[in-house]
Amino acid sequence: MPHPFVVHRSTEGELSVLSLDGHLDAHTAPEFERAIQAEIDDGRVRLIVDGSDLRYISSAGLGVFMSFIEEVRDKGGDIKICGLVPKVRQIFDILGFPAIYDLVDSRDAAIQRFAEAPTREV
């Protein structure tokens, strides 16, 4: 039985916030991919991905993050990830995402991080 997954979109000034809810896996990754692509197509490349309600992520879900980061940064933006629950955060940590992305505890911290460093050099 597939697990539910929803991407909620909102804005914080010029920042787009994509809040992930549920299980991000091979079946649901295309929905997340479409959500990021829609933001880029609209010229919004300063993205916060809020994982507060993300309960599971597979390699397909992680691949979505990796597939867009270069394009977003080439356009002067970034993807900052916030609010990951410990079980999901551990996966990001093991795979070295902190070396590539800003991972912060809260949406407010992600907004602040954009104010300090709009994009990140890797």
Side-chain angles (χ1 to χ4, degrees), residues 5 20 24 33 37-38 43 48 52-53 60 65 81 113 120:
F5 177 74
L20 310 182
L24 180 54
E33 195 172 70
Q37 188 62 58
I48 295 172
S52 301
D53 293 316
F65 285 94
I81 303 166
R113 192 72 188 118
R120 181 173 173 171

Side-chain angles (χ1 to χ4, degrees), residues 7-119:
V7 179
H8 303 279
R9 183 192 177 279
S10 61
T11 58
E12 292 280 348
E14 64 181 25
L15 306 175
S16 291
V17 180
L18 301 175
S19 301
L20 310 182
D21 185 346
H23 288 232
L24 180 54
D25 57 22
H27 298 286
T28 59
E31 182 175 343
F32 181 39
E33 195 172 70
R34 283 189 297 273
I36 292 179
Q37 188 62 58
E39 296 301 318
I40 294 170
D41 291 347
D42 287 345
R44 301 182 64 88
V45 292
R46 299 177 73 184
L47 308 174
I48 295 172
V49 177
D50 186 340
S52 301
D53 293 316
L54 182 64
R55 298 295 167 228
Y56 171 83
I57 188 165
S58 72
S59 59
L62 293 163
V64 175
F65 285 94
M66 295 304 292
S67 67
F68 284 104
I69 192 63
E70 189 173 322
E71 178 180 2
V72 165
R73 287 184 177 155
D74 284 349
K75 295 181 181 207
D78 202 4
I79 299 172
K80 303 203 187 291
I81 303 166
C82 69
L84 297 175
V85 298
K87 182 175 87 174
V88 174
R89 172 66 191 243
Q90 184 179 24
I91 295 167
F92 279 81
D93 287 344
I94 289 169
L95 296 175
F97 272 62
I100 302 168
Y101 296 88
D102 288 321
L103 277 74
V104 295
D105 291 337
S106 68
R107 187 179 297 193
D108 286 343
I111 293 167
Q112 180 63 35
R113 192 72 188 118
F114 264 114
E116 297 166 355
T119 192

